[in-house]
Amino acid sequence: MNPAMTSGGPSEPAILDAMELTADPGMEVRFAESAHQILAELVSGGAALGWVEPPSRDEVVELLGHVVSAVQDGDAALRAAYLDGRLVGLGYWLRYARPTHRPHADLEKIAVETAAHGRGVGRALASALIADAREAGIEVLTLDARGDNTSALHLYRSLGFTEYGRLADFVAVGEHRYDKVFYMLDFRRYA
């Protein structure tokens, strides 16, 4: 087991970066499997992660491969949270591809398994990803969230994100419609 996975202690998550996750091929495979289980469970429970149906294992592996490749190119950050040596959450941001938007990045997913909610895992992941964005020279970190995801919206506001827009009833999940809320963290203000 990677010593960093236990450094957070039993009540505090250990947060690993992409290089730590991919340094050991066995750990990388276990990470992909566990990430799939977390994402599928959350989506099955109605979590707002961009899928209507739980993603397949292959979808998650492809997504993680894309993110890790972007990390290696300096265009992303990926973090994983472990409690007691077990993956309980993950998150990542990707730099915008459009040349005029390259100084900026989008926080695309933060997912924490249901059993670990309320233990500071989401905050630890988001804080690490914000630090990674600052270190990478990102000017503005954006995200969007479903309007009914009040816990996530509260977390983002508490970390300094501000709302810059909202599309009413934009997100369609079956017959239900939800607002799509846009947040940003402008690092240029704190440079």
Side-chain angles (χ1 to χ4, degrees), residues 38-92:
I38 290 169
L39 293 168
E41 177 232 336
L42 289 170
V43 173
S44 290
L49 290 168
W51 290 284
V52 173
E53 297 295 324
S56 70
R57 182 190 179 288
D58 289 344
E59 280 180 275
V60 172
V61 168
E62 183 179 336
L63 171 66
L64 293 174
H66 170 71
V67 173
V68 168
S69 178
V71 168
Q72 293 166 341
D73 292 340
D75 291 334
L78 170 67
R79 291 292 184 148
Y82 287 83
L83 283 171
D84 302 323
R86 188 174 59 80
L87 182 71
V88 295
L90 64 140
Y92 67 89

Side-chain angles (χ1 to χ4, degrees), residues 15 64 67 77 85 89 100 117 127 144 152 157 159 163 165 170 188:
I15 306 296
L64 293 174
V67 173
T100 56
H117 286 184
S127 296
D144 63 79
R157 283 190 304 272
L159 292 169
E163 183 176 330
F170 187 79
R188 299 170 297 187

